[in-house]
Amino acid sequence: MKNTDIILASSSPRRRELLEQIGVRPVVRPSRVEEHVTSRIPREVVEELSRQKAEDVAAEAPSGTLVIGADTVVAADGEILGKPADRGDAVRMLRMLQGRRHQVYTGVTLICTGEGGRKTVTFSEKTEVFVYPMTEEEIEDYADSGEPADKAGAYGIQGKFAAYIRGIDGDYNNVVGLPVGRVCQEWKKMMEIKEDGRDDQTDRQ
C-alpha cells in the first residue's frame, strides 16, 4: 500500500490513526452521501454503508487510487447502536452494555480505481466485547466525559472506557474503528488478482 495514493472516505480520526500506525498516510476525504440502509442485520448494514461511502468518494478519485470506506456499529439485544443522539441516549446505551457482552461490527469497502475500470471488495469483521458491571454513577460520569459523543455504542475502547472492558474476542482494532490487518490482507488479494488479470473475488464497476 506504500506506493499507492490512498483516500480515507471517513472523518474518523481513529481510522486515520490506525492507518498511520501501519505506515499509511491517507488523504482524508469524508463522504457526503445520504446514507440509506435496506437491512436490519448488523453485518449487512455496515457493509452497505461502507460501500456507499467508498463509491461516493471513488466517483471523483483519480485513476490509480485506493479508496477506503468504513462504518462501525454496536449490536446488543438485537438493537443496532450507532452514535448517540445526545447525553441521554449515551446513558441509555451504556446501561444496555454494562455487565454483559455485545458485538461490534465494522464494514469496509476497498475500491481501486483504474483506466480499465474499478475493482471493489466489501467485507466486515465482528468482535465480541465483554463489559464489567458499572454503577449508575460510573455510567453518568462516563457520559459526562464527552467521549461517547461521536462513537458507536457510546464508548471508546481506547479511551477512559478501557476501565470497564473485561475482555474481547476478535480484532481489537475492529472495535476502535478499522480492522487494519484485514484491510491489508484484502488489498494484497486485490493486487494479486490485478497482476494475474483475474476478476474473481472482486466486483468490477
Side-chain angles (χ1 to χ4, degrees), residues 36-40 42-55 71 107 109 122:
H36 176 69
V37 295
T38 59
S39 173
R40 295 293 300 169
R43 184 181 300 278
E44 294 179 357
V45 168
V46 293
E47 289 183 359
E48 191 169 12
L49 290 176
S50 76
R51 187 156 184 156
Q52 290 175 18
K53 294 175 182 179
E55 289 179 340
D71 192 82
T109 294
T122 297

Side-chain angles (χ1 to χ4, degrees), residues 106-151:
T106 297
V108 180
T109 294
L110 307 179
I111 297 180
C112 183
T113 64
E115 295 180 0
R118 300 191 323 201
K119 289 183 178 292
T120 303
V121 171
T122 297
F123 62 90
S124 58
E125 282 286 327
K126 180 182 80 169
T127 302
E128 296 272 352
V129 181
F130 304 85
V131 181
Y132 281 113
M134 299 172 67
T135 66
E136 188 65 21
E137 182 180 4
E138 288 172 331
I139 290 174
E140 296 283 345
D141 285 348
Y142 183 68
D144 287 335
S145 73
E147 272 193 11
D150 64 340
K151 298 174 180 66

Side-chain angles (χ1 to χ4, degrees), residues 173-188:
N173 290 329
N174 186 56
V175 185
V176 178
L178 189 68
V180 288
R182 178 79 182 274
V183 169
C184 289
Q185 295 305 308
E186 295 294 340
W187 169 245
K188 285 167 63 177

